[in-house]
Amino acid sequence: MHINPTESAVSNLLALIVASNPRFSVMAEEALQVESVTALATPDADGNDTVTVVSAQGYGHTAAFSYRRLPLTEIVPADVPPVTVTVVDEEADILTAIAAALGLIASELVLVDGSEVLEGAGEVTIDASVSSLLYSSGPFTVALDWEPARIDSLLDNTSIGEFHPPDVDEDA
């Protein structure tokens, strides 16, 4: 099953579960709770490298599902293009920009280098989060092109109304 980068990690997991268990389609994403994600030291007989335990609102017990996460090395190109970020971007913004550029889901990624190297760093190393539902480890390096922050990124509306005369206190 292909990962849909426009959906959440849980939505993608739910789609994979439903593909093998059609009766599970009665479950809404909001009712699904991921209890744990465990990477297997050795893949099982079916080639699965991950076990996730899920519970569902309104249903007793939990269910364990085994599946194969997608190694980042299979989807990230060998020559990762530079990603443009701005000087006011924080770690989450940078992960979002990198994920968008590569068709990945940002919530499943971590910055290996740590946030202390971000401002002005020429490159960063990214990997799958240890708790990723979708990706297995495969660190890669991304060159960052820093640009100044743009004032228009702060604007919601440029038609800002009018001035009014000051209120006059009638008792004065």
Side-chain angles (χ1 to χ4, degrees), residues 69-80:
R69 290 182 293 165
L70 184 59
L72 285 174
T73 54
E74 290 185 16
I75 49 177
V76 173
D79 293 321
V80 179

Side-chain angles (χ1 to χ4, degrees), residues 10-34:
V10 172
S11 289
N12 279 279
L13 177 61
L14 183 57
L16 185 60
I17 291 170
V18 169
S20 295
N21 300 282
R23 289 185 298 156
F24 210 88
S25 66
V26 300
M27 189 59 48
E29 178 183 344
E30 302 79 39
L32 185 69
Q33 175 70 41
V34 176

Side-chain angles (χ1 to χ4, degrees), residues 75-107:
I75 49 177
V76 173
D79 293 321
V80 179
V83 174
T84 302
V85 294
T86 65
V87 295
V88 296
D89 283 345
E90 295 181 8
E91 183 175 340
D93 302 316
I94 291 171
L95 287 173
T96 298
I98 291 168
L102 298 174
L104 302 171
I105 297 176
S107 65

Side-chain angles (χ1 to χ4, degrees), residues 1 7-8 16-17 22 29-30 32-33 66 72 82 94 100 102 111 122 127 130 133 144 148 154 156 167 172:
M1 169 164 274
E7 296 289 335
S8 71
L16 185 60
I17 291 170
E29 178 183 344
E30 302 79 39
L32 185 69
Q33 175 70 41
S66 61
L72 285 174
I94 291 171
L102 298 174
L111 181 68
D127 201 357
V130 294
L133 296 174
L144 299 177
L154 304 174
D156 295 319
D167 288 338

